[in-house]
Amino acid sequence: MWRSFWRSIDRFSLQYFKYVINELRKIKVVDGHNRELVIDLLQSIVELVTYGDRQDPSIFEYFMEYQVLSEFVRVLRISRNSRIEAPLLQYLSIMIQNMNSDLSIYYCFSNDYINNIIGHKFEFGGDLALYYVSFLRAVGNKLNKDTLCLLLKVHGDAVVSFPLYDEALKFAHHGDKMIQTAICALTLSIYNVSDNMVYQYITTPPVSKYFSDMVSSLSKKFCHLDALVHDAEMRTCQKKEEILLETDKIVGDLYYLKDILGIGESRLSRAVTENLLRILIVPILLPLLQMGQSNGSNLSAVTSFYTISCLLQVIGGKGMFNSVAEVILYPHMASSVRDAVQGDLTESDGHAESILSEMGIVSSSHETEGAENNSLLTDTVSIKRSGILAHIFSENRSLLLASLFLLFILAETKDLHPLPAQMTGLSGMQYMIDVDGSIGNLLWKHMDVILNALLKVLASQPPYSILIQWHTGWFLRKLLICQGKGLSDHNFQLFNTSYQQSRECLQKELDGCWFDHIPEAFRNEWANCKAALLEASQCKDPFFVLELDVSQQTTDGDATSYFAWQRMVDNVKVFILHLQLKSTISKGELLEEPWLDSSAIADSSNMHASNGVSASFGSEVALGSGIPCRISFSNAGIRDIYLIPVAKKTSGKVILAEKHPFCSQRGIVLAIAPLAGLIPKIDEDHPTWLHLQIREFEPKLHKSKLEANVWGSPIVWLMGDGHLVFQMPKLAKLLDCQYLRKQGSKDPLSRVYLLLSCRIVVSEIYQRAKMSEAFIWGVVS
């Protein structure tokens, strides 16, 4: 009986819910003394309401009948520096997120309780902004056509206030990325469920200023990006990282704008497109094409082309494509053709046409006649001064590729007006005819000159960076496929020059420290290079435009083995590129498979610890054939090391291994170098020292950023006791490896040479390695 008397009240009962509500109503002031009590009461209310919504209708009926939500509003008003706002907003967010029934959501949004909480004068500090925005986001997630009206303040037939939207916009440019993302998601939720009255409110000043502010912020980000690209004091590696981070932010903003346009509401689309044209696109294109004043745009030409290319790729749309195409091609159109294009644009995209007219781009005057335009295009000097052609024929290779890329994006879209499409189209361009005798295909008219400019980039001496050569090849293949005919004699000679240069660069790698990885590099890079060549303009990341510009600036010098390996891979890529271009010129198609003997390509991924031939860095090897040495490391002092020469068929290498701590007959591999790539030479200042080149890392294990000092050139000298002593300097000395063969028997280093020769025939291995040139070049030469 007594146990029944003292039985506790069921925590998830209506009785307990009433008790919690009564306790909360007794609170007259919230301060530091009762803060924890109030938080506990609020938590209990949220738990019970969530339970009642799912399991017990009587609890939720009491919640509605006695307007419990008003207590949350009251608690906010009576709090005094108690920091109660954050937990209150958090519990409200949880409660709203977990409501399932339409009735529950409808009640919560009624009676202006949510609007009162949204409009409360919070003092944002610390994490309160994050809790507040999370609360707004929770409300936004429950919006639909029926509940939206409960959060509006309407006068007559017009919305005069929308607290959820208005307060959210105040955080649109907050420094916290999570808050920015939440605001973007919330606004998209509102746009997707809005009606005519809400759209009218959103797209009317001063609320519509959000769209202009958003585009202005985007413009500032492009300016900051431009400053990074041309920052002469920043190291190249750091600069590329900063540029990547900034472009990620920009692309994120562009996709948000694309999502807004994807809603398909004409007023929203007009607000976004007009601001993009007025604030960003036209002010960039005017100075870029030498057609007017800068209108405040200070972007360099390369960043300007990147900006427009990003906008077209990410946002796109008929209005955007046609507006940009009209400005780009304006200097090359006869007046009659301009009127025809502008007339069609006025019918479909009047807002774009009106902005272009205001900016001085579109004009109804007929002062420029078609014949006059033709005279401009036939004069070489004038060609270099007319619009986008000034950049296509620029000596700056980054501008050449950036401007061509913009034309390619326009050429491959299906949203372009027929006349601009004819002027830029890549498909079947050889069959296109002039309209009114005034225009034809812009690329087709100047094809030979454009191909010549691209081939000069590939054939230049000294050669441009690998990056520039590779992207130039992508443009060349595009144009070669589209023009449908071979190169002129002069351009064909340029290509042959470039082809021979690529062969010579790769041949030099046969004497380098990574010659044994060349076949594997061919196998790995062949498919990658082919896929990249087939990439469509719409899918190609315009980031390469900025990367090209940065690569032409001062780069960080480094002689580590990683960069030697990267140079070898790059030379393989460029040679594969030339093979594919050669096939495109002769056959009109790409090669399917590399012309290499697959049996000659060793798969270094299959490593066996017991096999010295396939030993990898850090693996165990037998020390039976090793030569005991003493190595002096710069940071680890003198250590006992074994030098192990190994060979298999036409390849050989030298392994440096340290004795295993628990097995005297086995060692741990510390460094590996190909025998023919050791490049030994006697030190000029120390006749008993021998310089060798030793690799200290495995490419498969170092795909991420490598340390700058991971590789050195060991210095070997012969001591009186017959031991070899090594020293590791920071930089490798790339020396002539044939030097030792010319030394006489009296040379003190002959003992080292003969010792290696007894283990494996060095000269034979070297000559066989040199013969690898035959199977690499035999077919393609």
Side-chain angles (χ1 to χ4, degrees), residues 1-66:
M1 184 181 71
W2 289 106
R3 181 175 299 178
S4 175
F5 179 79
W6 292 107
R7 184 174 55 191
S8 61
I9 300 175
D10 183 3
R11 188 166 176 269
F12 290 98
S13 65
L14 178 59
Q15 182 181 4
Y16 183 71
F17 185 55
K18 291 178 180 180
Y19 165 77
V20 173
I21 299 300
N22 290 332
E23 290 298 310
L24 183 62
R25 285 173 175 167
K26 293 177 183 178
I27 304 295
K28 303 304 178 182
V29 175
V30 181
D31 52 25
H33 296 91
N34 60 1
R35 176 179 179 273
E36 296 301 323
L37 171 63
V38 174
I39 290 176
D40 290 340
L41 292 174
L42 293 176
Q43 181 181 0
S44 297
I45 290 173
V46 169
E47 290 176 349
L48 286 163
V49 170
T50 303
Y51 173 80
D53 181 52
R54 298 169 182 266
Q55 304 291 336
D56 190 345
S58 64
I59 294 178
F60 200 83
E61 288 174 3
Y62 186 88
F63 174 72
M64 292 187 294
E65 182 179 355
Y66 289 90

Side-chain angles (χ1 to χ4, degrees), residues 239-518:
K239 180 185 292 189
K240 288 184 177 180
E241 290 178 2
E242 293 288 336
I243 291 173
L244 274 172
L245 289 174
E246 194 64 23
T247 53
D248 285 344
K249 295 177 184 176
I250 289 172
V251 171
D253 290 346
L254 292 178
Y255 272 106
Y256 171 59
L257 293 175
K258 180 180 181 180
D259 288 339
I260 296 177
L261 293 173
I263 293 172
E265 211 288 323
S266 60
R267 282 164 290 190
L268 279 179
S269 299
R270 184 182 183 91
V272 172
T273 306
E274 279 188 350
N275 282 289
L276 282 172
L277 287 168
R278 191 187 306 276
I279 299 173
L280 197 58
I281 295 177
V282 174
I284 288 176
L285 288 177
L286 280 177
L288 188 65
L289 303 179
Q290 305 169 12
M291 296 169 62
Q293 300 300 319
S294 66
N295 292 321
S297 174
N298 298 315
L299 296 183
S300 65
V302 168
T303 310
S304 297
F305 278 120
Y306 169 79
T307 301
I308 302 301
S309 299
C310 273
L311 286 167
L312 292 182
Q313 277 193 338
V314 177
I315 296 179
K318 289 185 178 180
M320 193 73 67
F321 273 108
N322 285 311
S323 299
V324 172
E326 184 179 356
V327 179
I328 291 289
L329 302 175
Y330 188 83
H332 313 292
M333 291 182 181
S335 58
S336 58
V337 177
R338 289 183 200 139
D339 291 342
V341 174
Q342 293 164 18
D344 288 348
L345 288 179
T346 303
E347 294 177 5
S348 59
D349 301 290
H351 60 283
E353 192 273 339
S354 63
I355 291 175
L356 296 174
S357 179
E358 291 175 18
M359 302 299 289
I361 302 300
V362 176
S363 174
S364 59
S365 65
H366 298 269
E367 297 176 0
T368 306
E369 299 298 332
E372 189 177 333
N373 274 294
N374 285 336
S375 65
L376 281 175
L377 294 178
T378 55
D379 179 51
T380 305
V381 177
S382 298
I383 283 175
K384 295 183 178 181
R385 296 176 181 173
S386 55
I388 196 169
L389 290 179
H391 302 288
I392 291 178
F393 299 116
S394 169
E395 294 298 323
N396 185 323
R397 302 314 178 191
S398 296
L399 283 180
L400 161 63
L401 300 185
S403 53
L404 267 181
F405 185 61
L406 179 55
L407 279 182
F408 279 22
I409 293 175
L410 291 172
E412 292 187 359
T413 182
K414 298 179 180 179
D415 294 330
L416 213 55
H417 183 279
L419 292 179
Q422 180 178 337
M423 290 188 67
T424 59
L426 293 176
S427 178
M429 61 167 61
Q430 64 269 34
Y431 303 112
M432 293 185 177
I433 59 174
D434 290 355
V435 177
D436 297 336
S438 57
I439 68 167
N441 187 282
L442 191 64
L443 293 172
W444 176 253
K445 283 186 176 183
H446 307 289
M447 178 63 70
D448 192 64
V449 184
I450 295 173
L451 289 175
N452 184 264
L454 293 172
L455 287 166
K456 282 182 178 178
V457 175
L458 290 183
S460 64
Q461 278 294 348
Y464 283 95
S465 69
I466 299 296
L467 194 65
I468 290 181
Q469 292 185 63
W470 174 251
H471 289 292
T472 301
W474 180 84
F475 282 95
L476 266 172
R477 181 194 166 271
K478 278 273 186 186
L479 293 175
L480 288 170
I481 290 293
C482 294
Q483 76 161 347
K485 64 177 183 180
L487 296 173
S488 64
D489 292 340
H490 177 62
N491 285 340
F492 190 74
Q493 184 179 357
L494 275 176
F495 174 74
N496 281 336
T497 300
S498 173
Y499 180 78
Q500 293 300 325
Q501 288 175 187
S502 71
R503 290 186 69 234
E504 291 171 2
C505 288
L506 191 53
Q507 281 177 320
K508 290 179 181 178
E509 294 299 331
L510 292 173
D511 294 327
C513 65
W514 292 104
F515 80 95
D516 54 328
H517 279 245
I518 290 178

